[in-house]
Amino acid sequence: MYVNATKVQDKKCAKWIPFLIALSDPLNNLCWCIYAALGSDPYLMIITGIGFVMTLYQLIRYCVYGSSSTPKSFDAEKLPETADKEISQAEHDKKVAQAEHDKKVAQAVHDKKLALQLEHEKIKQALMQALMLAQAQLAQGLIIDLQIEHEKIKQAELSQAQLAQVPNSITIVMGLYELIRYCVYRSCITPKPCGDEKLAETADKELSQAEHDKKVALQLEHEKIKQALMLVQAQLAQVELDLAELGPVTGLAQDELDIV
């Protein structure tokens, strides 16, 4: 009769071991081993000795596991349940490991997004600072230009006022000159020679011509100043248009425009 030693070892149950065979095999092998020893047959003694040891081990397993029809440690129904539990545990461990991996990946992605957001904020702040600095420099340059234009206009107005006073000064000087001439000619007792009168007339003509040339020169200078003022006003209008395109100006620039 065949004995399934694998099932006996795995199930730890002796229901697959027949008791009579397990008892008779070691007795048979022991008898033949004694016969071989008495007959001085080493070959038979070796074979029967090995058989005796193996059948004795089989008998001992039967005594240890017992002849119960149900396994002691393992049952035919419990084994699949244990396997299912092991498979479920393995699947659970795999899911837990996958969840941990996904969590780590999500955390890494989140950290990377935070780092990118921080970098974006830093770049945005740097650009804003650069833009504010450029606007401040542009406003400062516009204010300086406005101040320079204002100074030029003030100087032009002052020059125009001075030039307006020049004809009055010339008139006063000519009046004083005529008064001095009157006083000098009146104090003379004897009339001057005719040559002196001609000389005086020539001097008067030359003086009149000089005054006329000076007046013409002053008029030309006045026209030049008026043209310069018109050019400055055109430049101021252009500056105001540029400021309107740039947007609202600062308080200091608005004060400068109001002054102008």
Side-chain angles (χ1 to χ4, degrees):
M1 184 177 180
Y2 175 72
V3 177
N4 195 341
T6 305
K7 287 186 178 181
V8 173
Q9 187 65 32
D10 292 339
K11 306 281 186 179
K12 293 186 179 359
C13 180
K15 71 176 183 176
W16 293 281
I17 303 175
F19 174 72
L20 294 176
I21 294 176
L23 180 62
S24 61
D25 282 344
L27 292 176
N28 185 25
N29 285 301
L30 178 62
C31 292
W32 281 105
C33 186
I34 293 171
Y35 173 76
L38 293 175
S40 300
D41 190 352
Y43 298 103
L44 182 61
M45 185 176 64
I46 291 171
I47 294 171
T48 55
I50 294 172
F52 174 73
V53 172
M54 293 179 68
T55 54
L56 183 64
Y57 172 70
Q58 190 75 13
L59 181 62
I60 291 171
R61 285 202 303 173
Y62 181 84
C63 295
V64 171
Y65 297 146
S67 60
S68 177
S69 60
T70 59
K72 291 184 179 180
S73 299
F74 292 93
D75 193 14
E77 295 179 356
K78 291 182 179 179
L79 185 62
E81 293 179 358
T82 306
D84 292 337
K85 287 181 180 179
E86 291 178 355
I87 292 171
S88 300
Q89 185 66 30
E91 290 178 353
H92 178 70
D93 295 339
K94 189 175 181 180
K95 289 180 180 179
V96 170
Q98 186 67 28
E100 291 292 333
H101 178 69
D102 294 340
K103 188 176 180 180
K104 289 181 180 178
V105 172
Q107 185 66 30
V109 172
H110 180 67
D111 295 339
K112 191 171 182 180
K113 285 182 178 179
L114 287 178
L116 289 174
Q117 287 178 358
L118 291 174
E119 190 69 22
H120 180 69
E121 290 294 331
K122 288 181 180 179
I123 294 171
K124 188 176 179 180
Q125 290 178 1
L127 289 175
M128 290 294 293
Q129 291 178 358
L131 182 61
M132 291 175 65
L133 182 60
Q135 288 179 352
Q137 291 179 354
L138 181 61
Q140 187 68 25
L142 289 174
I143 291 170
I144 293 172
D145 293 337
L146 287 173
Q147 290 177 352
I148 293 171
E149 293 294 334
H150 182 62
E151 291 294 329
K152 288 181 180 179
I153 291 170
K154 287 176 67 176
Q155 291 178 2
E157 290 178 352
L158 183 60
S159 300
Q160 187 177 5
Q162 291 177 357
L163 289 174
Q165 292 177 1
V166 169
N168 296 328
S169 301
I170 293 172
T171 304
I172 293 170
V173 171
M174 292 299 297
L176 290 174
Y177 175 71
E178 292 294 334
L179 182 61
I180 293 169
R181 285 183 62 194
Y182 176 76
C183 294
V184 170
Y185 293 155
R186 187 177 179 182
S187 61
C188 292
I189 299 174
T190 57
K192 291 184 178 180
C194 183
D196 293 337
E197 291 179 357
K198 289 182 180 181
L199 184 61
E201 290 176 0
T202 304
D204 291 338
K205 287 180 180 180
E206 291 178 355
L207 185 59
S208 299
Q209 185 65 31
E211 289 176 357
H212 178 70
D213 294 339
K214 194 170 184 180
K215 286 181 180 179
V216 171
L218 288 173
Q219 288 178 357
L220 292 174
E221 189 69 24
H222 183 68
E223 291 294 331
K224 288 181 181 180
I225 291 170
K226 283 179 68 177
Q227 291 178 359
L229 286 173
M230 290 177 66
L231 181 60
V232 170
Q233 288 177 356
Q235 290 179 355
L236 282 175
Q238 185 65 33
V239 170
E240 289 179 357
L241 290 175
D242 294 338
L243 287 175
E245 291 178 358
L246 288 174
V249 297
T250 58
L252 183 58
Q254 187 64 38
D255 295 338
E256 293 294 333
L257 288 173
D258 293 338
I259 292 171
V260 173

